[in-house]
Amino acid sequence: MKLRHAAAAVAACALVLALPGSALAAEGQFHYKYTDDSGQEQRVILDDPDSGECINLYAVGSDDVEPGYAPQNQTDSWVTVYADADCTGSPWRLRPMGRPATDHLRVRSVRFEVRGEPGRA
């Protein structure tokens, strides 16, 4: 009986180890720029951002500050960028591993598409 439990535990561990990384994270980096309070341009990088949920971006995710600009999607997932916080306002989709968008594209929040579910973003 103990051998059966040990075999089941080994099989369970092997299954867990065989599973790929989180399917709910885009792999790669998402970049954007913003101008801080002193007028200096800053660049922010999100590493492996969560997918399927709205992300209000650091330093620009509130309607009380100037929005970010020039987003670049270097992840393996499509992303929708939004002009306003909480994934509202004008949306714009950016392809995976794309070039930087123009400085005129304003961004406050983003939603990365869950891989394998096109159009979810």
Side-chain angles (χ1 to χ4, degrees), residues 37-60:
D37 292 339
S38 64
Q40 297 294 311
E41 183 175 86
Q42 303 294 326
R43 185 172 184 193
V44 178
I45 299 172
L46 302 178
D47 287 312
D48 300 330
D50 290 337
S51 297
E53 62 185 55
C54 181
I55 301 170
N56 286 328
L57 298 174
Y58 170 76
V60 299

Side-chain angles (χ1 to χ4, degrees), residues 25-43:
E27 292 182 11
Q29 296 181 329
F30 177 81
H31 308 254
Y32 65 96
K33 299 176 188 177
Y34 74 96
T35 304
D36 66 17
D37 292 339
S38 64
Q40 297 294 311
E41 183 175 86
Q42 303 294 326
R43 185 172 184 193

Side-chain angles (χ1 to χ4, degrees), residues 1-9:
M1 190 70 151
K2 289 182 182 181
L3 182 60
R4 186 176 302 157
H5 288 300

Side-chain angles (χ1 to χ4, degrees), residues 5 9 12 14 33 59 62 68 72 86 93 104 106-107 117 120:
H5 288 300
K33 299 176 188 177
S62 164
Q72 181 180 13
D86 302 319
R93 285 180 43 98
H104 298 290
R106 303 300 184 182
V107 60
E117 296 183 27
R120 177 173 171 144

